[in-house]
């Protein structure tokens, strides 16, 4: 009997030290709308959520940074949207959530939907907002088409009503007046409240987009295996048929896609054919210049089609260069590797290149562009 009493005393003493094993999934339906003491505090200043639903990752990243700047300007907590591929990818799988939080208040969409939405943004009381005039011929259809429908479905969101509004994202005072947090605590937008290409003053926010430990670790592992401690040049080649078609009629234009990254935001310079879809001769010309400048013999190629491995090694045989191409399972691995290259040559028009160039601008590493750099 004394043994059982003794064990009971020990158990009572240890109980406060044991971690809770009850998750929200274990709660009965009757308790599903309750916010536990472990949940984040509700922010009375309001929340904003939007779909990253324009194009591939490079475009989405520019829209995200613009939306991040907007959330801070209107002083609403940003619900970090998942990245959109063929499925929703939680923000934290690719990027460090805590680092973004150094700039402004954030919560992941998954945490918000699981831990706060049941009480504060419950089913039956969810409104979606589209930019446009109320009563126009273009009603607000939050979930029409792909990726809009799959994006919201991935978060388990259906809208009970939709509203059109006409306040520009640049009008922060007008926005706060139109959307007071006490009356509309959660504003869910069809698209990002940001321009594309991104605004010039938003570019420095790239420093808050740091890769997750998983992406960082895999990229560094590849770098170590391929180059050891040797320096390397990273290049980005867009030479697939879709890009060729996109570049057919851009010569002479002052702005197209991510072109402000090298041409500037004033619209005073013009795009050339070589900038958008560089010839093999142009690629080999600039690459040779950078190899001579840097005396680096490793070249890493990220591409959507042809890495030009044989052409490059043949053309630069006197410099004993070695060309490496991985075609990793995830394009973000290419991005992370390119960001760490000692020199980088990219495509001025591509938002994929722009992501790398912004990172290098923050870290002070050199970037060159096909058809633009001498």
């Amino acid at each position: 009997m004394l043994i059982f009493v003794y064990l009971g005393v020990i158990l009572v003493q240890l109980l406060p030290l044991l971690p809770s094993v009850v998750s929200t999934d274990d709660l009965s339906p009757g308790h599903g709308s309750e916010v536990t003491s472990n949940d984040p505090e509700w922010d009375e200043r309001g929340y904003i959520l939007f779909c990253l639903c324009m194009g591939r990752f490079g475009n989405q990243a520019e829209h995200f940074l613009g939306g991040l700047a907007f959330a801070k300007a209107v002083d609403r907590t940003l619900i970090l949207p998942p990245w959109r591929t063929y499925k929703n990818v939680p923000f934290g799988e690719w990027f460090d959530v805590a680092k973004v939080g150094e700039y402004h208040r954030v919560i992941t969409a998954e945490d918000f939907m699981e831990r706060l939405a049941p009480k504060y943004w419950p089913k039956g009381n969810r409104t979606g907002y589209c930019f446009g005039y109320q009563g126009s011929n273009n009603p607000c259809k939050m979930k029409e088409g792909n990726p809009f429908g799959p994006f919201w479905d991935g978060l388990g969101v259906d809208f009970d009503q939709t509203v059109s509004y006409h306040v520009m994202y640049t009008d922060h005072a007008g926005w706060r007046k139109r959307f007071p947090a006490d009356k509309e605590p959660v504003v869910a937008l069809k698209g990002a409240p940001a321009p594309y290409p991104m605004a010039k003053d938003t570019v420095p926010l790239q420093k808050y987009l740091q890769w997750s430990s998983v992406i960082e670790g895999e990229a560094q592992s590849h770098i170590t295996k391929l180059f050891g401690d040797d320096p390397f040049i990273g290049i980005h080649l867009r030479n697939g048929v879709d890009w060729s078609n996109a570049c057919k009629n851009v010569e002479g234009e002052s702005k197209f896609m991510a072109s402000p990254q090298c041409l500037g935001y004033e619209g005073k310079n013009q795009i050339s054919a070589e900038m958008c879809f560089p010839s093999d001769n142009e690629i080999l010309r600039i690459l040779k210049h950078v190899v001579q400048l840097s005396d680096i013999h490793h070249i890493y190629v990220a591409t959507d089609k042809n890495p030009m491995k044989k052409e490059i090694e043949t053309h630069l045989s006197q410099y004993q260069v070695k060309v490496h191409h991985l075609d990793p399972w995830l394009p973000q691995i290419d991005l992370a590797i390119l960001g760490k290259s000692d020199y980088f040559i990219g495509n001025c028009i591509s938002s994929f290149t722009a992501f790398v160039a912004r990172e290098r601008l923050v870290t002070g590493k050199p970037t060159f562009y096909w058809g633009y750099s001498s």
Side-chain angles (χ1 to χ4, degrees):
M1 179 62 115
L2 289 176
I3 293 176
F4 287 110
V5 171
Y6 179 68
L7 289 175
V9 171
I10 292 177
L11 181 59
V12 169
Q13 291 174 338
L14 287 177
L15 277 176
L17 303 179
L18 295 176
S20 173
V21 295
V22 179
S23 70
T24 53
D25 295 333
D26 299 321
L27 297 175
S28 64
H31 294 83
S33 63
E34 292 184 3
V35 178
T36 72
S37 59
N38 293 325
D39 285 314
E41 291 186 7
W42 175 254
D43 188 353
E44 297 291 346
R45 290 166 290 187
Y47 294 79
I48 186 167
L49 170 63
F50 50 81
C51 177
L52 287 175
C53 288
M54 189 192 77
R56 298 178 182 177
F57 172 76
N59 297 20
Q60 293 178 35
E62 295 204 16
H63 259 174
F64 170 75
L65 291 175
L68 176 63
F70 178 80
K72 186 177 182 69
V74 299
D75 197 27
R76 281 178 174 262
T77 291
L78 176 60
I79 302 173
L80 293 172
W83 304 98
R84 186 66 202 171
T85 59
Y86 65 93
K87 63 176 183 178
N88 282 0
V89 178
F91 188 93
E93 283 195 17
W94 291 351
F95 293 99
D96 185 341
V97 171
K99 187 64 180 179
V100 182
E102 291 180 10
Y103 175 74
H104 185 58
R105 307 184 309 276
V106 296
I107 183 174
T108 66
E110 296 74 26
D111 275 353
F112 179 83
M113 292 305 302
E114 178 183 349
R115 302 167 68 185
L116 291 178
K119 179 176 181 180
Y120 297 105
W121 199 49
K123 294 179 179 180
N125 191 30
R126 293 174 179 172
T127 301
Y129 298 90
C130 302
F131 179 79
Y133 290 100
Q134 273 188 302
S136 69
N137 294 326
N138 296 311
C140 180
K141 296 180 180 180
M142 293 287 292
K143 299 181 66 173
E144 184 177 63
N146 188 358
F148 299 98
F151 174 87
W152 294 110
D153 285 342
L155 293 177
V157 173
D158 285 313
F159 294 99
D160 304 288
Q161 62 176 336
T162 59
V163 175
S164 296
Y165 69 94
H166 195 75
V167 183
M168 297 296 292
Y169 57 77
T170 52
D171 182 6
H172 301 148
W175 181 276
R176 287 191 290 268
K177 182 178 180 180
R178 168 62 183 81
F179 295 100
D182 59 336
K183 295 181 180 179
E184 297 178 83
V186 180
V187 177
L189 302 178
K190 184 174 183 179
Y196 179 81
M198 66 191 298
K200 183 178 182 179
D201 59 2
T202 310
V203 170
L205 297 187
Q206 182 73 31
K207 68 180 179 180
Y208 298 104
L209 268 184
Q210 291 192 0
W211 296 110
S212 68
S213 59
V214 173
I215 300 293
E216 182 74 16
E218 184 166 344
Q220 191 58 57
S221 176
H222 287 306
I223 290 172
T224 300
K225 290 177 183 178
L226 293 175
F227 316 118
D229 295 326
D230 293 342
F232 69 101
I233 299 167
I235 69 174
H236 175 216
L237 299 178
R238 284 298 303 265
N239 49 28
V241 64
D242 64 327
W243 192 252
S244 175
N245 292 332
C247 293
K248 281 183 177 179
N249 300 308
V250 300
E251 186 159 11
E253 296 291 330
S254 60
K255 184 182 293 186
F256 183 57
M257 295 189 186
S259 64
Q261 66 176 312
C262 69
L263 292 182
Y265 289 79
E266 296 77 21
K268 296 180 181 179
N269 300 305
Q270 293 185 337
I271 299 169
S272 70
E274 291 281 37
M275 289 171 58
C276 194
F277 200 87
S279 63
D280 288 1
N281 286 338
E282 170 63 8
I283 292 168
L284 296 173
R285 179 188 74 83
I286 292 190
L287 189 50
K288 181 178 180 179
H289 169 68
V290 175
V291 167
Q292 291 174 325
L293 175 69
S294 64
D295 194 29
I296 293 175
H297 307 284
H298 290 287
I299 298 170
Y300 181 83
V301 183
T303 182
D304 59 340
K305 183 66 175 179
N306 178 18
M308 293 181 61
K309 186 176 187 295
K310 182 178 179 180
E311 296 90 331
I312 293 171
E313 289 184 341
T314 299
H315 185 74
L316 300 178
S317 59
Q318 70 183 100
Y319 301 98
Q320 299 179 321
V321 301
K322 185 174 182 180
V323 177
H324 309 265
H325 173 59
L326 285 178
D327 191 22
W329 68 279
L330 191 65
Q332 283 69 23
I333 303 299
D334 267 343
L335 286 171
I337 293 173
L338 292 174
K340 295 178 182 299
S341 61
D342 295 88
Y343 286 78
F344 171 64
I345 313 171
N347 188 302
C348 174
I349 313 303
S350 168
S351 58
F352 191 91
T353 279
F355 186 96
V356 179
R358 288 194 304 272
E359 178 181 341
R360 299 175 67 81
L361 187 64
V362 169
T363 57
K365 292 185 175 182
T367 295
F368 296 77
Y369 298 94
W370 313 119
Y372 178 77
S373 301
S374 58

